[in-house]
């Protein structure tokens, strides 16, 4: 039997967290968005207001429904305040194992005993986080895709110790926020989508580094020949090149397989701070009118 969820807390107000929080508020949950930095919370609220104003203007949602959602969404930089009444907590901080483990340790100390801990990690299995807390049966992966307000899929992943009740609750939360959830009962780093996507990206980067084709041409081929909505390099820019870099670093740390190590061209982009759309430059340059190629 699933846990009754009324209050959801999202930890991390970055490019994933603030949109996940809005989904929860739109789904009728009393929602708290936490970030240690007040600036991040201010930016999150500004971005969400901009998105929702566009939705209202396009008739995607009535203004009354949007305002009701905003009335259910609050922001705080006080961690204890954010989690003290939570039934369900979604961690959406940076894709680094040590950072996520620190968050889980703090959650164990401050969250209610009944609260479920879900990680939005795109590659780190929840069993690597569960022992930083003391409730492995209440820990689950809940992997949203970027941007969460647009992408209709969530991978819900159980470890061998995740309870059926926890998995069922996560699935019901997904249903309430109008997202298609797929339950995976066996852990594997990267889950399904990112393992398939990673194989595509790895091959694309190798073709580029070997001088077989320019990254722009590879994107064109993937769009035109394979009917992908965007090419692998465009997708890296959209998601954030640093996000993919951290995923590859984590995978390499787990496997030691040289194929999982971040490619030199990816590492160079991260060191230069050219992370994609969010910095205005990645593989492509971005201005107000979109990508400049």
């Amino acid at each position: 039997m699933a846990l009754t969820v009324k209050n959801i807390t999202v930890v991390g107000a970055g490019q994933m967290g603030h949109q996940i929080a809005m989904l929860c508020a739109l789904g009728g949950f009393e929602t708290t968005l936490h970030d240690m930095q007040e600036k991040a919370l201010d930016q999150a609220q500004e971005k969400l207001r901009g998105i929702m104003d566009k939705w209202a203007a396009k008739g995607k949602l009535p203004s009354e429904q949007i305002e009701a959602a905003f009335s259910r969404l609050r922001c705080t930089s006080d961690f204890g305040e954010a989690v003290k009444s939570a039934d369900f907590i979604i961690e959406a901080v940076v894709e680094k194992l040590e950072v996520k483990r620190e968050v889980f340790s703090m959650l164990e100390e401050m969250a209610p005993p009944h609260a479920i801990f879900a990680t939005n990690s795109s590659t780190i299995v929840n069993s690597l986080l569960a022992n930083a807390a003391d409730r492995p049966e209440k820990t689950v992966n809940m992997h949203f895709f970027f941007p969460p307000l647009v992408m209709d899929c969530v991978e819900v992943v159980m470890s061998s110790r995740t309870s059926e009740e926890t998995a069922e609750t996560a699935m019901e939360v997904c249903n309430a926020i109008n997202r298609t959830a797929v339950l995976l009962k066996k852990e594997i780093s990267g889950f399904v989508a990112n393992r398939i996507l990673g194989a595509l990206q790895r091959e694309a980067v190798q073709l580029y580094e070997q001088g077989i084709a320019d990254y722009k041409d590879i994107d064109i081929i993937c769009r035109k020949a394979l009917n992908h909505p965007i090419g692998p390099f465009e997708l890296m820019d959209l998601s954030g090149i640093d996000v993919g870099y951290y995923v590859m670093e984590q995978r390499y740390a787990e496997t030691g397989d040289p194929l999982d190590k971040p490619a030199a061209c990816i590492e160079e982009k991260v060191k230069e701070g050219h992370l994609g759309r969010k910095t205005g430059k990645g593989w492509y340059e971005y201005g107000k009118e979109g990508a400049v190629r």
Side-chain angles (χ1 to χ4, degrees):
M1 182 177 178
L3 172 73
T4 299
V5 176
K6 295 181 179 178
N7 299 302
I8 294 180
T9 293
V10 179
V11 180
Q15 65 177 5
M16 296 295 290
H18 72 286
Q19 292 199 18
I20 294 171
M22 193 71 212
L23 278 176
C24 294
L26 287 167
F29 296 102
E30 293 297 324
T31 307
T32 301
L33 177 61
H34 169 270
D35 200 284
M36 293 186 297
Q37 299 180 10
E38 290 286 351
K39 183 179 179 181
L41 293 172
D42 291 341
Q43 290 174 340
Q45 292 177 85
E46 183 180 346
K47 289 176 183 176
L48 289 175
R49 180 56 71 178
I51 294 169
M52 291 298 110
D53 284 349
K54 288 180 181 178
W55 281 20
K58 293 178 179 178
K60 191 170 182 178
L61 282 179
S63 297
E64 296 80 7
Q65 188 175 341
I66 291 171
E67 292 310 315
F70 274 115
S71 73
R72 290 188 287 268
L73 177 63
R74 69 187 189 97
C75 299
T76 179
S77 58
D78 186 323
F79 191 87
E81 180 67 24
V83 305
K84 69 178 184 181
S85 301
D87 302 310
F88 197 96
I89 300 168
I90 303 172
E91 168 271 309
V93 302
V94 66
E95 194 73 358
K96 293 185 176 182
L97 179 60
E98 65 273 16
V99 177
K100 291 182 182 293
R101 285 180 58 84
E102 183 178 352
V103 169
F104 268 64
S105 179
M106 292 169 63
L107 288 174
E108 180 61 35
E109 183 180 342
M110 300 184 189
H114 73 275
I116 287 172
F117 298 169
T119 174
N120 177 54
S121 175
S122 58
T123 189
I124 299 170
V125 294
N126 73 78
S127 60
L128 293 178
L129 303 173
N131 63 4
D134 191 27
R135 57 185 85 185
E137 75 287 351
K138 292 183 178 294
T139 304
V140 68
N141 282 87
M142 197 173 176
H143 177 216
F144 291 79
F145 294 85
F146 181 78
L149 282 166
V150 176
M151 299 297 287
D152 177 26
C153 189
V154 180
E155 291 175 316
V156 176
V157 188
M158 301 173 67
S159 75
S160 61
R161 300 180 70 184
T162 303
S163 71
E164 293 288 343
E165 177 189 57
T166 293
E168 184 181 345
T169 302
M171 296 291 282
E172 289 192 2
V173 168
C174 290
N175 184 61
I177 63 177
N178 197 30
R179 285 297 172 268
T180 299
V182 180
L183 179 62
L184 307 179
K185 293 193 172 185
K186 187 174 182 179
E187 287 188 319
I188 186 170
S189 178
F191 320 129
V192 172
N194 277 352
R195 291 188 74 85
I196 295 171
L197 184 63
L200 173 68
Q201 179 182 303
R202 186 162 53 242
E203 186 65 28
V205 169
Q206 286 179 358
L207 290 169
Y208 166 72
E209 289 196 329
Q210 290 168 8
I212 304 300
D214 184 69
Y215 67 88
K216 294 179 183 178
D217 292 331
I218 294 171
D219 279 349
I220 290 171
I221 291 168
C222 287
R223 291 199 312 271
K224 301 295 185 180
L226 304 180
N227 203 29
H228 292 186
I230 60 176
F233 295 91
E234 292 171 304
L235 183 56
M236 280 186 257
D237 276 2
L238 177 64
S239 301
I241 294 173
D242 56 329
V243 175
Y245 176 77
Y246 294 142
V247 166
M248 288 181 278
E249 273 199 322
Q250 175 61 34
R251 183 84 61 82
Y252 180 59
E254 291 178 22
T255 68
D257 187 341
L259 290 175
D260 291 329
K261 190 175 182 179
C265 62
I266 302 293
E267 187 171 8
E268 182 180 351
K269 295 284 185 191
V270 173
K271 287 181 177 178
E272 291 175 343
H274 298 158
L275 308 180
R277 288 179 180 266
K278 62 186 176 184
T279 60
K281 184 176 182 181
W283 291 102
Y284 298 88
E285 292 187 6
Y286 300 87
K288 293 182 179 179
E289 302 303 317
V292 180
R293 300 174 182 172

